[in-house]
Amino acid sequence: MLRRRRDPQAQAAGEAERGQAADEAGGPRGDSPGGLHGRAAGGRGLTAVDGTAGRAAGRPVDDALDRSRLGPGLYVHIPFCARKCWYCDFTAYHHRPGRASRYVDDLMAEIRLYAADDAFASVTFRTLFFGGGTPSLLEPGDFCRLMACLRSSFRLDPGAEVTLEANPEDLRQDRLEAWLEAGVNRLSIGAQAAQDRLLAAAGRVHDWRAVEVGYRRARQAGFANIGLDLIFGLPGQTRDDWRETLERVLALAPGPPEHLSCYGLQVEEGTLYGRWRREGRLRLPAEEDEAAMYRHAVERLAAAGYEHYEISNFARPGFRSRHNLNYWADGDFLGLGAGAWSHWHGRRWGNQRFLGPYARALAEGRRPVAEVDEPPLKTRMADALMLGTRLVEGMPAAWFVERFGQTPEEAFGPQLADLAGRGLLERAGGRIRLTRRGLLLANEVWAALL
Ligand code: SF4
C-alpha cells in the first residue's frame, strides 16, 4: 500500500527502523529490490495544491464532517508483503503463510488484552481498517478467525465501515467471498499506475491487467465501495501517462471506483529509489510536471463527479473514507498489531515494530507497547489544526472547541491573524481552511503553528 506521511500509522512505522525489520525477518538487507522494509509516503514536497473543486464555503457541516459520528476507529496492522516495492520505506516482512498464521495468533492475544479493559470494551467502534503491509495476503481462514475474534471482543457498530487494503493480485474469488462473509464492506486497492513499464519500474508485483481483472471480480463478488491508490511523479512518468492512468481508472468496468487517493511520490532514504537518487540514476519528472499532474487530477476528477475532500483524496458523494476522516478530525483510534499506533483521549502509543518483541510481550501477557507519547496541550492543538486543515473544505471550528474547550483563535490568535493577513488561511462558514494560496503553501502554514 501507499500512504501519505500524515497518516498516523504511516508516520509510526515508516521511520527509524529502516533495514532492520527485513533483517530480523531473515530477509535481504538494505534496499535490495527483494528486501522488505519500507513503504512509500505521499508527496515529494508536493502538499502544494491549487484545486478548490468540491469546496463549499458556508455550507453547513454535513454528515461526513459530523465528528460525533466518525469515531472511534479500530486499526489492525498486517505487516507482510509479497515483495518490497522500490519506493517503499515502510517496515514490512516477507510473507509466508505459517508466519502470518502465528502473527494472527499474536494479534488475537493483543485483542483479548484490550478487550479486558473496560475503556475499550465499553465503546462502540464505528470503523475498522485492515492496513499494512498487505492484509489481502492473509489466508481466508486466518482472516476469518481474526475477524471473529474482533467481533466477539469489541463492540462494532452494525453500520461500521470495514476496510481492507488489497493488492490486485490477491483479488481472487475465494478471498473476496471470505472478506464479504466476514463483513468487509470497503476495499482499498493499490493500483498505482496504468502503465506496465511504470509498475515494473516501481517494483510492483502486478500489471495493469491484474487491476482490471481483480477490480471486476470484486464488483462481481458484491463490493459496492472500492477505492484505488494511485501515484504521480513516478520515475519516467509523463503527463500523458498520468492522464491515461486517470482515464483508464474512470473507464474501469463495470463502473468507476467510489474513492481515489492520488499521492505524489516521495523518495525516501533506505529505499532502492533513494539509492538511485544518491547515485544520480533516478529520473523523476520535473516539479512543474508533477504539479501539473496534480492539477489535472483535481480538475479531471471534479469533472467526473468526485469531491476533492482532502489534499490527496477524492470521493463520489457519500463515499469519503470515514476511517480517515476520524484521523483528520483528531479522533480516537485503537491500533493493533506490530508497529501500530493508537490515539486515545490525547495520549498516543506505538507498538513494538519487530515481530519477535511483539510476540514476546504478548506471550508474557503484556501489551506490546514500545513507546508512549503524551504531547503538551499546545502540541496537541497544533496537530489537530494541521490535520483538520488537510480537509479541502476546511476544519469545522466546532471540532477544535469540542476537543480543547477553546476556539482556534483563542489558542493561536497571533499566528492565525498573521496567516490570514498574508492570505493563507481564512474562516468560512464556521470552518477554518487554507485559502487557494494557502493550499499551495500548506507546509509553510503548518510550520507557523508549531
Ligand atoms: S505492497 Fe509495496 S508499497 Fe505496499 S507496504 Fe508492501 S512494499 Fe510497501
Side-chain angles (χ1 to χ4, degrees):
M1 301 302 104
L2 179 143
R3 196 176 290 151
R4 61 187 170 65
R5 182 58 65 200
R6 286 304 302 174
D7 183 315
Q9 302 300 343
Q11 280 179 294
E15 310 290 350
E17 293 186 333
R18 294 184 185 118
Q20 297 177 40
D23 296 346
E24 187 195 52
R29 297 185 64 91
D31 53 10
S32 70
L36 276 170
H37 63 177
R39 65 180 302 152
R44 182 160 48 115
L46 200 78
T47 49
V49 294
D50 65 356
T52 53
R55 280 197 164 194
R59 199 173 76 185
V61 174
D62 57 25
D63 280 356
L65 293 181
D66 181 352
R67 194 170 182 277
S68 68
R69 296 173 54 173
L70 290 176
L74 201 49
Y75 175 83
V76 180
H77 191 67
I78 309 295
F80 303 103
C81 292
R83 189 175 76 176
K84 181 196 166 194
C85 302
W86 296 352
Y87 52 80
C88 180
D89 74 336
F90 195 74
T91 302
Y93 298 84
H94 289 287
H95 175 254
R96 289 200 299 267
R99 171 188 279 167
S101 282
R102 288 193 297 279
Y103 178 75
V104 168
D105 292 339
D106 295 334
L107 261 176
M108 289 165 59
E110 187 184 10
I111 290 165
R112 293 190 189 104
L113 275 182
Y114 278 97
D117 183 337
D118 200 49
F120 303 101
S122 63
V123 299
T124 299
F125 289 95
R126 290 198 171 86
T127 63
L128 169 58
F129 194 104
F130 293 91
T134 310
S136 56
L137 279 172
L138 283 185
E139 292 299 320
D142 283 333
F143 182 78
C144 288
R145 67 193 178 94
L146 175 59
M147 194 69 178
C149 181
L150 284 162
R151 284 190 183 285
S152 63
S153 304
F154 295 119
R155 287 190 205 162
L156 196 59
D157 189 284
E161 176 190 271
V162 182
T163 304
L164 181 120
E165 287 186 332
N167 271 348
E169 67 276 14
D170 298 327
L171 297 169
R172 299 186 333 227
Q173 205 59 37
D174 58 335
R175 292 185 187 215
L176 289 162
E177 285 170 7
W179 299 336
L180 279 169
E181 180 69 23
V184 175
N185 52 32
R186 183 172 183 270
L187 287 181
S188 175
I189 301 173
Q192 318 310 2
Q195 296 74 27
D196 290 346
R197 75 173 205 290
L198 296 179
L199 292 170
R204 300 289 297 177
V205 294
H206 62 87
D207 57 15
W208 173 250
R209 179 78 185 135
V211 175
E212 290 179 325
V213 170
Y215 181 85
R216 186 190 293 267
R217 276 196 201 129
R219 286 293 195 212
Q220 287 169 344
F223 278 97
N225 188 357
I226 300 180
L228 256 62
D229 281 0
L230 303 172
I231 308 177
F232 60 93
L234 285 165
Q237 190 179 34
T238 65
R239 295 187 192 194
D240 283 345
D241 287 330
W242 178 244
R243 282 192 204 100
E244 182 184 59
T245 291
L246 293 183
E247 294 310 318
R248 287 191 178 182
V249 165
L250 294 173
L252 278 170
E258 282 69 33
H259 192 278
L260 290 169
S261 299
C262 299
Y263 298 111
L265 178 73
Q266 181 164 319
V267 178
E268 302 285 356
E269 286 305 318
T271 65
L272 189 63
Y273 276 5
R275 189 174 85 196
W276 284 354
R277 182 175 59 184
R278 277 199 313 282
E279 295 170 354
R281 293 199 287 141
L282 195 67
R283 284 183 43 250
L284 294 171
E287 291 209 0
E288 56 267 29
D289 288 333
E290 195 176 357
M293 290 180 205
Y294 185 85
R295 281 196 299 274
H296 178 70
V298 170
E299 288 158 14
R300 180 67 185 95
L301 295 178
Y306 289 82
E307 295 171 342
H308 181 204
Y309 72 103
E310 193 267 351
I311 287 179
S312 304
N313 286 281
F314 305 80
R316 293 196 172 282
F319 289 96
R320 299 179 183 198
S321 164
R322 284 158 51 195
H323 186 80
N324 284 337
L325 280 169
N326 181 50
Y327 284 148
W328 298 318
D330 198 33
D332 289 340
F333 57 90
L334 175 63
L336 302 163
W341 274 78
S342 302
H343 173 241
W344 205 263
H345 301 337
R347 189 166 175 265
R348 300 170 188 154
W349 64 92
N351 275 355
Q352 295 281 357
R353 294 165 187 167
F354 297 145
L355 296 184
Y358 174 75
R360 272 195 294 281
L362 290 162
E364 292 164 6
R366 292 184 287 113
R367 291 181 184 178
V369 175
E371 48 188 316
V372 177
D373 181 20
E374 292 184 89
L377 178 64
K378 200 74 176 180
T379 303
R380 288 195 283 127
M381 290 195 293
D383 282 351
L385 204 47
M386 286 190 283
L387 285 169
T389 51
R390 289 193 66 91
L391 296 170
V392 174
E393 292 166 354
M395 183 192 79
W399 284 4
F400 197 92
V401 175
E402 176 194 325
R403 191 143 192 95
F404 302 111
Q406 52 187 302
T407 65
E409 287 80 3
E410 286 167 338
F412 295 101
Q415 295 98 318
L416 296 183
D418 176 58
L419 291 166
R422 291 157 58 198
L424 299 173
L425 208 65
E426 64 186 4
R427 269 277 206 168
R431 303 182 191 191
I432 188 161
R433 70 181 192 188
L434 299 171
T435 61
R436 183 184 175 92
R437 185 160 167 265
L439 283 164
L440 285 160
L441 300 167
N443 284 337
E444 186 179 319
V445 173
W446 296 330
L449 299 171
L450 295 174

